[in-house]
Amino acid sequence: MTFVKDEDLYAMSSFSSLIQQEEQEEVVLLDLHTACLIGDYDVVRDFIERQANINKQNLGGWTPLMYASYVGRDNILNLLLEAGAKTEIFAKKDGLTALMLASYCATESIMYFLLQYGAHINARDNNGMTSLFHAVRQGHKSAVKLLLTHGADLNLGHFQTGLTPLMEAAISGHEEIFSILLENGADLDLKNNQGANARALAVHYGHVSVLGLIDKALITQRQQKNLREEPKLAGVDVIFHPGVHESNISEGPSTIHSLIQAARYSKKVGHFKNDATDKTYYQHLYVPESLQELLEELSLETHLAKFESQLIDISTFLTLNDADLREIGIDKLGPRKKILMAIAKIKQRIVPKTDTIHGQEIHTQIYDLNNQLQQSLAYIKQLETQLQNEQHVRMKFTSYLENEQQRLRQILFYANDVGKNCKEASSQIQKIKDYNSQTSTLLQQLNNNLVSKDFTVDSNIFETVNLINCESDIVMNRLDVAYKQIERTLALLRIPNSVTPI
């Protein structure tokens, strides 16, 4: 006779296969991307040990490193980076990188690790936005500071709109971030594709605090510009001051060149006598005689043929603007900017000194007045905010008063109702008192009749009747007093007796 073990019975049973199937179905196999998203360290490590492709992009174009960066999984991120995960993979749909996702969520530790492992700080997504742009748009001040300390480019902007991080801060009204960008050298003069700079955008979106920062920076730049002397144009001395500095040819080639230029300019500059100070001043400053001479000084002689083909001489050249230079065929920004700066400087030197100083004073006054205007606008906005707060408090207080009035009317209605009940109770007690008087009279008559027939009524009956009369008098007096008090209260509040609940 053979005996079957319990284990064999279990294996032979029809339920064993079902139980095994259920146990297998309970095991959920995670892929590497999901494990990085939920932070399953052991699963990620197991994938790495099996030498799985840790840079594989899923259908959305995201890598495991992007998921760890987006949700802030420091331990998972370090595990992937140590295993050789690439930081410069762009998502297929939008071109985002791991650093951009970390900047978007302001996970500073993740950003720091990515930068340490070589993440490109100025990489741009499909729209042209950098990690700095994403951090500014989301208002993450700490992330902006971290990126700036690692050398983020301040002026890389959106492809379609031309917005820079500084313009984005002006649009969003992030005052502290705007100030940080300004302190780190963001360009206020840059314009978007519609021709608006940061100041115009701040005005359009009504951010007075940002506007104040811009005007303050512009005033500071203007003051520094007025205090700074500009004796050179494209590296060449324009004003020659005899006797100020005695140069020696032993100082080097640059000194020899400046001496030659000074001698050359001194022949072309006249002077006049100032009667007030008895000193010699230069009435007119040097202006190149030909366009070729000016372009050679600017190292832009390669563009001379373009000007000559348009029959442009030196006088016409000084009237050109940026649009004119584009039409002539000077497409690059650097040469155009250099030419426009030279034109502006030459025009300033043609104007007499007194007029220039007067113009600078006017500009300074305009900036001061503009600054005062912005401060006034900020103060007006502050008053408007205060007025709105007061109106809000007033609305709340009015609502509270209405509720209190409604509650008071309800109370007065109940008080009036109590007064009516008191009056009715008083009337009923008066009737009881009359009935007691009648009962007392009848009892007295009955007693007299019985006495005549040698019968007497118990004296307790008379005492009880008297007590009822006394108690009735007391209750009636109290009800009269309560009713009179209610009537006086209603009279003082000037509420009619016919008040009804709301």
Side-chain angles (χ1 to χ4, degrees):
M1 185 175 180
T2 59
F3 295 94
V4 181
K5 297 181 180 179
D6 294 339
E7 292 81 358
D8 296 333
L9 290 173
Y10 171 75
M12 292 170 59
S13 67
S14 60
F15 295 101
S16 62
S17 60
L18 294 176
I19 294 172
Q20 291 175 0
Q21 183 179 356
E22 289 180 358
E23 290 177 351
Q24 291 176 358
E25 289 177 351
E26 289 177 358
V27 177
V28 179
L29 298 178
L30 295 177
D31 62 285
L32 180 56
H33 295 79
T34 305
C36 293
L37 177 64
I38 66 177
D40 197 325
Y41 186 87
D42 294 333
V43 173
V44 176
R45 183 177 58 187
D46 183 60
F47 271 102
I48 294 175
E49 290 176 353
R50 289 191 283 112
Q51 296 183 353
N53 183 10
I54 59 176
N55 295 313
K56 182 179 179 181
Q57 292 178 272
N58 61 8
L59 294 178
W62 282 35
T63 63
L65 188 69
M66 292 180 184
Y67 282 102
S69 302
Y70 185 68
V71 296
R73 307 288 186 191
D74 297 66
N75 55 347
I76 302 295
L77 182 94
N78 289 326
L79 190 61
L80 292 170
L81 290 174
E82 291 175 359
K86 296 180 181 179
T87 60
E88 293 311 310
I89 297 178
F90 294 85
K92 295 178 181 177
K93 292 184 178 180
D94 45 25
L96 294 173
T97 64
L99 182 59
M100 294 177 192
L101 293 169
S103 302
Y104 184 89
C105 299
T107 48
E108 299 165 45
S109 58
I110 298 292
M111 295 168 62
Y112 177 78
F113 289 133
L114 290 171
L115 291 170
Q116 293 299 314
Y117 276 84
H120 184 26
I121 196 170
N122 292 321
R124 306 171 81 174
D125 61 15
N126 293 346
N127 293 319
M129 296 188 293
T130 61
S131 298
L132 178 62
F133 199 105
H134 285 287
V136 171
R137 172 167 286 185
Q138 297 303 317
H140 300 316
K141 181 175 68 174
S142 56
V144 170
K145 287 183 176 180
L146 179 62
L147 291 169
L148 291 177
T149 56
H150 284 79
D153 194 323
L154 289 160
N155 300 318
L156 291 178
H158 198 279
F159 288 141
Q160 295 180 351
T161 62
L163 294 175
T164 64
L166 187 72
M167 297 178 192
E168 180 63 30
I171 292 173
S172 304
H174 299 314
E175 180 182 353
E176 294 184 3
I177 292 178
F178 191 91
S179 179
I180 292 171
L181 295 174
L182 272 184
E183 291 172 359
N184 284 271
D187 193 349
L188 275 172
D189 297 328
L190 291 179
K191 297 180 180 180
N192 64 3
N193 294 344
Q194 296 180 347
N197 58 12
R199 191 182 189 283
L201 293 171
V203 172
H204 178 73
Y205 287 92
H207 298 304
V208 179
S209 56
V210 175
L211 193 61
L213 291 174
I214 297 174
D215 289 337
K216 183 178 180 181
L218 291 175
I219 292 172
T220 303
Q221 291 177 5
R222 173 62 63 179
Q223 291 175 349
Q224 291 176 353
K225 184 177 180 181
N226 292 339
L227 292 174
R228 186 174 61 249
E229 293 182 358
E230 298 180 357
K232 294 185 178 182
L233 176 62
V236 180
D237 289 339
V238 176
I239 305 176
F240 174 64
H241 300 280
V244 174
H245 174 70
E246 295 182 358
S247 300
N248 194 323
I249 58 174
S250 62
E251 295 180 8
S254 60
T255 304
I256 296 173
H257 178 71
S258 63
L259 287 172
I260 294 172
Q261 294 293 336
R264 172 184 170 190
Y265 299 152
S266 62
K267 298 177 181 179
K268 301 179 181 180
V269 178
H271 62 273
F272 67 98
K273 201 78 169 179
N274 190 320
D275 297 330
T277 58
D278 197 24
K279 294 181 180 180
T280 302
Y281 289 85
Y282 290 100
Q283 184 178 13
H284 299 289
L285 301 178
Y286 165 67
V287 177
E289 295 180 353
S290 66
L291 184 58
Q292 180 179 358
E293 184 180 351
L294 176 58
L295 292 177
E296 288 177 354
E297 292 174 5
L298 297 176
S299 300
L300 297 173
E301 59 272 10
T302 55
H303 298 285
L304 179 61
K306 297 178 182 178
F307 292 103
E308 290 180 345
S309 65
Q310 300 292 330
L311 301 178
I312 296 175
D313 57 6
I314 187 65
S315 58
T316 307
F317 177 82
L318 296 176
T319 62
L320 298 179
N321 55 29
D322 187 71
D324 296 332
L325 294 175
R326 288 177 182 269
E327 292 180 1
I328 292 170
I330 303 178
D331 299 326
K332 293 185 178 180
L333 177 62
R336 290 203 314 272
K337 191 171 182 180
K338 202 171 185 180
I339 291 172
L340 292 174
M341 290 177 62
I343 291 173
K345 290 182 179 180
I346 292 174
K347 286 182 178 180
Q348 290 178 359
R349 283 159 175 74
I350 293 175
V351 179
K353 184 178 179 181
T354 55
D355 292 343
T356 303
I357 295 175
H358 183 63
Q360 292 175 353
E361 292 177 353
I362 292 175
H363 283 294
T364 303
Q365 292 176 3
I366 290 174
Y367 276 108
D368 291 339
L369 291 174
N370 189 27
N371 188 32
Q372 294 176 6
L373 176 61
Q374 299 307 324
Q375 291 177 355
S376 301
L377 291 175
Y379 180 67
I380 290 172
K381 188 171 183 180
Q382 181 181 359
L383 292 178
E384 288 177 350
T385 304
Q386 184 178 355
L387 178 60
Q388 290 176 357
N389 294 334
E390 291 178 355
Q391 288 176 347
H392 182 66
V393 173
R394 183 176 181 180
M395 289 175 62
K396 285 188 174 180
F397 186 70
T398 303
S399 177
Y400 172 76
L401 285 180
E402 290 177 353
N403 293 333
E404 287 298 312
Q405 288 177 356
Q406 182 178 359
R407 189 170 65 88
L408 179 60
R409 289 175 183 175
Q410 194 75 29
I411 293 172
L412 292 176
F413 168 75
Y414 292 141
N416 190 33
D417 192 42
V418 171
K420 290 181 180 180
N421 292 333
C422 289
K423 191 172 182 179
E424 292 177 0
S426 178
S427 177
Q428 295 296 329
I429 291 173
Q430 183 61 43
K431 291 181 180 180
I432 293 172
K433 189 174 181 182
D434 294 339
Y435 291 148
N436 283 335
S437 298
Q438 294 176 8
T439 303
S440 179
T441 302
L442 293 173
L443 286 174
Q444 187 64 36
Q445 292 176 358
L446 178 61
N447 186 34
N448 293 334
N449 292 331
L450 291 175
V451 169
S452 61
K453 297 179 180 180
D454 297 331
F455 290 100
T456 58
V457 180
D458 190 355
S459 60
N460 291 330
I461 295 175
F462 292 102
E463 292 179 0
T464 301
V465 173
N466 290 331
L467 287 174
I468 290 173
N469 289 331
C470 291
E471 292 296 330
S472 299
D473 290 339
I474 293 172
V475 172
M476 191 169 180
N477 289 333
R478 288 180 178 176
L479 287 173
D480 288 339
V481 170
Y483 179 69
K484 289 178 180 178
Q485 288 177 348
I486 291 172
E487 284 186 334
R488 283 197 297 269
T489 302
L490 293 174
L492 289 173
L493 294 174
R494 296 180 181 177
I495 302 295
N497 292 338
S498 60
V499 173
T500 57
I502 299 175

